[in-house]
Amino acid sequence: MSRELNPEETAMIDAVHRFADEVLAPAAAGVDEEAVFVTRHLQPMADMGLFGINLPDQWGGVGLRPEVMFEVVALIAGACGSTASMLTAHFLATDAILIGGDEALRGRYLPGAAAGKSLGAFGLTEPLAGSNPADMMTRADRTADGYHLKGVKHFISNGGAADFIVVFAKTDMDAGHRGISAFVVDRDTPGFSSGPAERTMGLKGGHVFELSFDCAVPEQNRIGEEGSGFRTAMKTLDNGRIEVAAMCVGIAEAALDAACRWSKDRQVGGEAIATFQGLQWMLADMATDLQASRLLALGAAAKRGRGERFSQEAAMAKLHASEMAGRVTDAALQIHGGYGYSRDMPLERYARDVRIMRIYEGSSEIQRNIIARNLLAQYDD
Ligand SMILES: Cc1cc2nc3c(=O)[nH]c(=O)nc-3n(C[C@H](O)[C@H](O)[C@H](O)COP(=O)(O)OP(=O)(O)OC[C@H]3O[C@@H](n4cnc5c(N)ncnc54)[C@H](O)[C@@H]3O)c2cc1C
């Protein structure tokens, strides 16, 4: 943390900590087992202002500093990854409107979203366009009073339950990513439909959907200028990558905590397994890995808070944290032996939940591409 928490920030973190421990964590295994969308905690989360922690108070948000937001997301994820994923998908939608939209659009969507009265989704990926959004086929053709949007979005978190969806579509099919524009589509728009929730390996309560659009969108629902959609998406994903890192840190912290407790309690051959140096070294590596991720992400968050460019730091934080979370949750499961593999304990859920973090919001390969590109650009003549 670049500076100490003020009393409001401390109160927020304490309240989230309590909520995570007392409400989210006890329900998380059931959410995973039943694969029900995490709507059961929406009202208490709304009452705590959690749906607006990314938004300034001008738009009804809590306006947390990015570093404090990091801690809040980490606490929620450590208790229930699905809830954190639902919440951060909502942040992507509202961030996109905040970043790219005009005052009128912000005023129409953000206060309700910040209050948790409406849920957002962020629709960039398509069946044939994931890592390279410029491949997208969804198009937005001009009409007399706006656009006709036609296409399919795939793997969209919250999509089937969202009240509004930020959708990226081409207004110029021949201009690559410069032809991409962004729009807000309301769920009750005729011609919009959502398929059933996809069946996924983890985050089973944070549902993803295929969405189909063959609908009219008024001009005032365009986010920013025509052709500015890719820039809006990338800036939004810079924020999102710090949030993915926060989820990874939160889940890895829960796994490390479980591993430390287990290793002190579990006796093998009359000795607690924590006395074995082999396991102590595993725990030491896990704690060090975790701390590196936390500091990288907090560094990116601090830069964001100062209004500096932070794309490179966000990509590094996301890359490191998502790969760290794979290593740490796997090691924590190993330390639990057969009990770690059992569905009666949360270790196997942690390992399943973090696997997507290396894929969504830009895979590890794409983060490496971004980092290398920025690095090598410093050596251009
Ligand atoms: C649970 C879940 C939630 C999601 N939520 C959302 C959401 O809310 N909104 C949304 O828009 N999308 C969402 N996604 C989609 C996600 O962002 C994409 O799956 C991701 O960007 C990868 O795209 P893809 O699946 O098409 O893989 P592809 O792009 O087909 O990639 C396949 C493989 O090729 C690699 N690869 C691709 N290009 C390169 C390259 N240039 N160099 C090296 N390797 C490369 C990739 O890293 C990957 O390993 C979600 C996905 C899941 C599974």
Side-chain angles (χ1 to χ4, degrees), residues 85 88-90 92 120-133 135 153-159 166 168 198 200-203 206-209 237 356 358-369:
S85 195
T88 53
H90 175 78
L92 289 178
F122 179 85
L124 183 63
T125 305
E126 300 185 1
L128 298 178
S131 299
N132 184 18
D135 291 340
K153 295 289 171 181
H154 196 47
F155 290 140
I156 306 307
S157 303
N158 300 351
V166 169
F168 297 85
E198 308 270 351
T200 53
M201 169 182 177
L203 297 181
H207 289 177
V208 294
F209 301 83
L237 288 172
I356 186 59
R358 282 148 65 189
I359 298 171
Y360 69 11
E361 301 201 30
S363 64
S364 286
E365 292 72 34
I366 296 303
Q367 302 314 310
R368 288 189 170 91
N369 287 349

Side-chain angles (χ1 to χ4, degrees), residues 37 39 42 51 86 89-94 97 109 113 116-123 156-167 184-189 192-195 207-211 213:
F37 188 57
T39 47
L42 292 186
F51 288 94
M86 175 273 294
H90 175 78
F91 294 155
L92 289 178
T94 52
I97 295 171
Y109 285 96
K117 291 184 180 144
S118 57
L119 187 68
F122 179 85
I156 306 307
S157 303
N158 300 351
D163 299 287
F164 65 94
I165 302 107
V166 169
V167 185
V184 189
V185 175
D186 296 314
R187 89 172 274 104
D188 55 8
T189 305
F192 163 70
S193 63
S194 131
H207 289 177
V208 294
F209 301 83
E210 183 160 288
L211 307 179
F213 302 87

Side-chain angles (χ1 to χ4, degrees), residues 211-224:
L211 307 179
S212 298
F213 302 87
D214 190 356
C215 57
V217 182
E219 174 141 22
Q220 62 266 28
N221 277 32
R222 195 184 64 225
I223 303 177

